[in-house]
Amino acid sequence: MSICASSSQSSSGSRAWVAHAAVLGAAIAAAVGAHFYLRRRSSMFRSRVIGIIPARFDSSRFQGKPLAQILGKPMIQRTWERAKLASTLENVVVATDDVKIAECCRGFGADVVMTSVECRNGTERCSEAVQKLGKDYDIVVNIQGDEPLIEPEIIDGIVKALQSAPDAVFSTAVTSLKPEDSLDPNRVKCVLDNHGYAIYFSRGLIPFNKSGKVNSQFPYLLHLGIQSFDSKFLKIYPQIPPTRLQLEEDLEQLKVLENGYKMKVIKVDHDAHGVDTPEDIQKIEALMRERNIQ
């Protein structure tokens, strides 16, 4: 009897162990599956990204700026070629209301979306363009057409910043402000909080100390024009009325901040080479020759 009882207990124990192992195996499999699901979901957050270069012919400071020649190529082509090197962008398109710009861009191979002449700024032009494209993008990168030497790594950087900041609807980049640009209203300055979110942008020097002089020891920041938007926010952006600060500074990003939205900012080491006036073309060409850029 003792042998039979022992055998019975052993068999029962074996079945319990097998059942426990099965449950444990299922739990491990579920945990592993959940890990990969969450990792996949995290890696896919705001994963579909498009770059849009808004371009208009009329400009008070530089008429026809996108078509200005820089070492034999239109400036907008230079910008488009640089943007195409960014690894995070599925595509790069030009959004314009001008036939001459559209024909030029199609001539060098760019996709073009025709937008309304009623667009008040580049962000509204990007908003209209992405809706006309009819595809579900998560992030739209507004690439300034007057940055012919934009670095692809900066584009990738602001995209990744927005992907990693779910509380932000906008991301952009800043770099160190050169002393000679401190009082230039065409060079937009920026101040950040301790977590890398924008506090304010201004054409004036910020912060501005009580001495009224530039502090050579202070790390002033220069805003680079490139910016990326959460596509859902970009869709409603044109419906938000202009704000007092936006209109006073003539800076569209202030409408975002003034309405309480968060803006993530990355700091980069970059020589800003935007083109604001015809005289800037010569500076760009000299730099390109120096760096042997064709």
Side-chain angles (χ1 to χ4, degrees):
M1 290 294 292
S2 61
I3 295 175
C4 289
S6 175
S7 176
S8 175
Q9 290 173 358
S10 175
S11 176
S12 176
S14 297
R15 286 196 298 272
W17 185 89
V18 170
H20 174 73
V23 171
L24 182 61
I28 292 173
V32 171
H35 169 75
F36 282 106
Y37 169 75
L38 290 173
R39 193 174 75 173
R40 180 174 180 268
R41 185 181 179 190
S42 174
S43 67
M44 293 181 68
F45 179 64
R46 291 174 172 166
S47 60
R48 298 203 64 192
V49 186
I50 186 169
I52 298 180
I53 305 174
R56 63 190 184 98
F57 190 86
D58 293 328
S59 172
S60 58
R61 289 179 295 178
F62 193 167
Q63 186 86 346
K65 180 165 65 170
L67 302 182
Q69 293 289 308
I70 298 180
L71 294 185
K73 289 183 180 180
M75 178 165 60
I76 195 165
Q77 180 177 355
R78 295 279 183 190
T79 303
W80 177 81
E81 289 175 347
R82 298 288 292 176
K84 291 283 285 184
L85 299 175
S87 63
T88 55
L89 304 182
E90 289 188 16
N91 194 11
V92 179
V93 305
V94 174
T96 186
D97 59 7
D98 187 84
V99 174
K100 296 184 291 295
I101 292 176
E103 290 177 349
C104 171
C105 293
R106 292 188 181 110
F108 60 73
D111 293 330
V112 177
V113 178
M114 298 302 297
T115 53
S116 170
V117 295
E118 302 300 321
C119 292
R120 292 170 290 186
N121 51 53
T123 304
E124 289 192 7
R125 200 172 300 283
C126 287
S127 178
E128 180 182 337
V130 75
Q131 292 181 62
K132 284 189 172 182
L133 287 170
K135 295 183 179 181
D136 293 327
Y137 291 103
D138 302 308
I139 292 177
V140 179
V141 184
N142 179 348
I143 302 166
Q144 301 298 304
D146 57 6
E147 285 277 352
L149 297 182
I150 184 67
E151 296 176 14
E153 293 80 8
I154 294 178
I155 297 175
D156 291 335
I158 66 167
V159 168
K160 292 173 182 176
L162 191 55
Q163 288 172 332
S164 63
D167 57 341
V169 299
F170 182 117
S171 65
T172 189
V174 295
T175 192
S176 297
L177 179 70
K178 296 178 181 178
E180 61 267 28
D181 292 333
S182 298
L183 302 179
D184 185 347
N186 292 321
R187 298 293 185 249
V188 177
K189 295 80 177 176
C190 177
V191 287
L192 310 178
D193 68 15
N194 291 333
H195 304 286
Y197 291 89
I199 297 175
Y200 193 69
F201 295 85
S202 180
R203 294 186 180 277
L205 184 65
I206 52 173
F208 193 74
N209 60 57
K210 64 182 180 180
S211 74
K213 300 177 181 179
V214 177
N215 179 359
S216 60
Q217 304 302 312
F218 191 86
Y220 298 104
L221 296 174
L222 172 70
H223 179 225
L224 303 178
I226 187 167
Q227 48 206 18
S228 71
F229 291 88
D230 178 275
S231 61
K232 294 183 179 65
F233 173 77
L234 184 61
K235 188 174 182 179
I236 67 169
Y237 176 89
Q239 302 165 25
I240 301 174
T243 61
R244 293 177 66 184
L245 294 176
Q246 173 197 359
L247 295 174
E248 182 64 21
E249 295 265 17
D250 191 22
L251 296 173
E252 58 193 86
Q253 62 267 38
L254 290 179
K255 182 167 77 168
V256 181
L257 293 180
E258 203 169 350
N259 277 282
Y261 293 100
K262 300 194 75 170
M263 188 181 303
K264 189 68 174 176
V265 183
I266 63 170
K267 296 179 183 179
V268 298
D269 183 14
H270 174 69
D271 288 333
H273 302 293
V275 175
D276 295 305
T277 66
E279 292 72 29
D280 290 330
I281 295 290
Q282 296 178 358
K283 298 176 184 177
I284 291 288
E285 290 183 330
L287 185 64
M288 291 176 66
R289 291 190 184 97
E290 180 184 315
R291 297 182 178 179
N292 198 28
I293 299 175
Q294 302 299 316

